[in-house]
Amino acid sequence: MKNNITKNSPFTKIQAFKAALWVSLTVNVILIMGMVYDDSIDLVSVLKEDGIGYMLFFLLQFACNLFLFFVLFLFCFLLTKKKPESKRTALKAILGTIVICLFLSPPLSQLQLYLFEGGDDGSIAQFTLFSLVKDMIAGFVVILITETMQQSYKREQTNIANQQLISENIKVKYEALKNQLDPHFLFNSLNTLDGLIGLDEEKAHEYVDNLSSVFRYTLHSKNMVKLEDEIEFVNAYVSLLKIRFGKSMRVEYYIDNKFRSYAIMPISIQLLVENAVKHNIIHGKNPLVITIETDNDGYLIVSNVINLRPEKSIGRVGLVNLSERYKLLFRKEIEIKNINGVFSVKIPLINETDKTISL
């Protein structure tokens, strides 16, 4: 998964403009609705008398509000970026909002009256005071909006950090589980190779080729591979075992072609084959037959008749390994059964729509 996942900070000039735009629209809508429901104002007559003038007045008021609230949001955003958790920040935001409103609101409201209404000193003072109170209230709304954005941003960052930790934890666990291959395999393989050298040079070369294919696949396999690639790997692995055990063991495949492009956890089939070889008696009179097949439900089934070695039980470490890998990456379960002397493991095949995890 990608590292250092971060969500862009919302405290930008663009976001300040957007927030100021919405607050300004809201304030203007409230003022207009106030006029609509004010019984002392005959709105129809007012609009007939000077509809364009009132429209221009509200546009200018909207522009003034937009400018004022943009400045307020920029101020609050700046404080939030510097000291988001300080108690003094809240006090500075309140005092700063009051100062900005006292400094900008009166001249902006007087500009509106100068351009459109005029009036005596009393009406100018009344409108100026009304605008100041309105802007102060909207200014405190700006502070609340900024705080809400800050808390939302913190939650997003916390969630992202938690998801990143979970992803890293899954990756570490997966790599640890993937590397839990039987160390005795290399030891036995080298012993077998040593026995072939000098006796059968052609088989020795074939053995080295297959051995290199097995370890190259193991080292470079991804989180999931196509079933046909996994089967090709298993064939190379089984070829090594056949040189060691001869006709005492064989693997039979019954794979529906439609599932060959499905994905599977790498080294999963090999692990089950290795588990069968490790825990069962293998000799010519009673050969070990491992069946690898698919069913109609999209599962791969690996099974064998149980013929346990003395003082051996069916190994669980490798199966737990495989089960944990599927749970970690795909949230899917494997099915383990031991019925009538036949041991089987069902592995879910992954189609395109299930490929949701990528490390």
Side-chain angles (χ1 to χ4, degrees):
M1 291 186 180
K2 293 181 181 179
N3 294 326
N4 301 322
I5 306 173
T6 56
K7 183 179 183 294
N8 291 333
S9 172
F11 307 111
T12 62
K13 290 181 179 180
I14 294 176
Q15 188 60 43
F17 179 80
K18 290 180 179 179
L21 183 64
W22 281 109
V23 173
S24 301
L25 285 171
T26 303
V27 169
N28 266 40
V29 168
I30 292 173
L31 292 175
I32 293 172
M33 294 303 295
M35 288 185 60
V36 171
Y37 289 100
D38 189 350
D39 294 335
S40 64
I41 300 176
D42 187 353
L43 187 60
V44 176
S45 300
V46 169
L47 293 176
K48 285 183 178 180
E49 181 181 344
D50 191 12
I52 296 177
Y54 272 92
M55 185 180 297
L56 292 175
F57 175 78
F58 276 105
L59 285 175
L60 177 61
Q61 189 176 60
F62 171 77
C64 291
N65 287 337
L66 180 61
F67 173 72
L68 174 62
F69 299 144
F70 178 65
V71 172
L72 288 173
F73 272 113
L74 284 180
F75 171 72
C76 291
F77 284 4
L78 182 62
L79 289 179
T80 300
K81 283 183 176 180
K82 287 185 176 180
K83 296 180 179 179
E85 300 298 332
S86 174
K87 291 183 178 179
R88 293 183 179 180
T89 301
L91 181 60
K92 287 180 180 179
I94 294 172
L95 294 176
T97 297
I98 293 173
V99 170
I100 292 173
C101 287
L102 288 173
F103 182 75
L104 292 180
S105 181
L108 289 174
S109 59
Q110 289 175 19
L111 174 64
Q112 297 171 48
L113 288 177
Y114 175 77
L115 292 178
F116 287 96
E117 296 232 349
D120 55 26
D121 292 341
S123 61
I124 292 175
Q126 184 179 3
F127 181 76
T128 301
L129 180 61
F130 169 78
S131 297
L132 179 60
V133 173
K134 176 260 298 179
D135 292 338
M136 285 284 190
I137 295 173
F140 290 122
V141 172
V142 168
I143 295 175
L144 292 175
I145 292 174
T146 304
E147 176 63 19
T148 301
M149 293 173 65
Q150 169 66 9
Q151 294 303 320
S152 177
Y153 178 67
K154 284 169 56 180
R155 285 193 296 269
E156 286 288 339
Q157 290 297 96
T158 300
N159 290 337
I160 290 172
N162 289 339
Q163 288 298 321
Q164 186 169 339
L165 287 174
I166 292 172
S167 299
E168 290 297 326
N169 191 34
I170 288 176
K171 184 175 181 178
V172 170
K173 285 184 177 181
Y174 173 75
E175 290 299 327
L177 290 169
K178 190 174 71 172
N179 292 328
Q180 287 179 8
L181 298 177
D182 187 1
H184 294 94
F185 170 68
L186 177 60
F187 177 77
N188 291 331
S189 297
L190 292 177
N191 277 342
T192 302
L193 178 62
D194 182 61
L196 290 173
I197 294 175
L199 295 178
D200 192 331
E201 295 296 332
E202 185 176 346
K203 267 194 174 179
H205 284 298
E206 180 186 349
Y207 194 89
V208 170
D209 287 341
N210 286 326
L211 187 61
S212 64
S213 296
V214 167
F215 279 97
R216 183 166 56 250
Y217 182 89
T218 302
L219 292 173
H220 297 97
S221 60
K222 302 177 182 179
N223 304 322
M224 51 188 175
V225 295
K226 288 184 178 181
L227 176 59
E228 59 184 359
D229 294 333
E230 177 75 1
I231 290 175
E232 184 178 345
F233 160 66
V234 171
N235 283 333
Y237 175 73
V238 170
S239 296
L240 301 178
L241 296 177
K242 283 185 175 181
I243 291 177
R244 179 179 167 192
F245 294 108
K247 295 181 179 180
S248 298
M249 75 155 291
R250 69 177 186 271
V251 176
E252 298 178 351
Y253 296 96
Y254 303 96
I255 306 297
D256 193 323
N257 288 329
K258 70 180 181 181
F259 292 119
R260 288 184 175 273
S261 61
Y262 277 48
I264 193 171
M265 193 81 70
I267 317 174
S268 54
I269 302 178
Q270 180 271 342
L271 187 147
L272 297 176
V273 172
E274 179 184 26
N275 192 67
V277 170
K278 186 190 303 183
H279 294 92
N280 288 278
I281 297 173
I282 303 176
H283 57 70
K285 293 182 179 180
N286 191 11
L288 173 65
V289 179
I290 301 173
T291 302
I292 301 174
E293 59 187 328
T294 55
D295 65 9
N296 294 329
D297 297 324
Y299 279 84
L300 182 90
I301 304 170
V302 180
S303 60
N304 64 273
V305 175
I306 299 173
N307 187 17
L308 293 179
R309 295 181 181 182
E311 300 181 357
K312 280 281 186 179
S313 60
I314 296 175
R316 288 286 174 178
V317 176
L319 296 177
V320 171
N321 180 316
L322 183 62
S323 179
E324 286 297 319
R325 284 160 63 187
Y326 266 93
K327 287 178 183 177
L328 283 172
L329 290 183
F330 305 113
R331 299 177 181 88
K332 290 182 177 289
E333 300 279 351
I334 67 172
E335 297 180 19
I336 303 172
K337 295 181 180 180
N338 185 348
I339 301 175
N340 298 326
V342 177
F343 183 76
S344 65
V345 179
K346 291 180 67 175
I347 304 174
L349 298 175
I350 311 300
N351 59 30
E352 290 295 330
T353 57
D354 291 329
K355 295 178 182 180
T356 56
I357 303 295
S358 178
L359 297 179

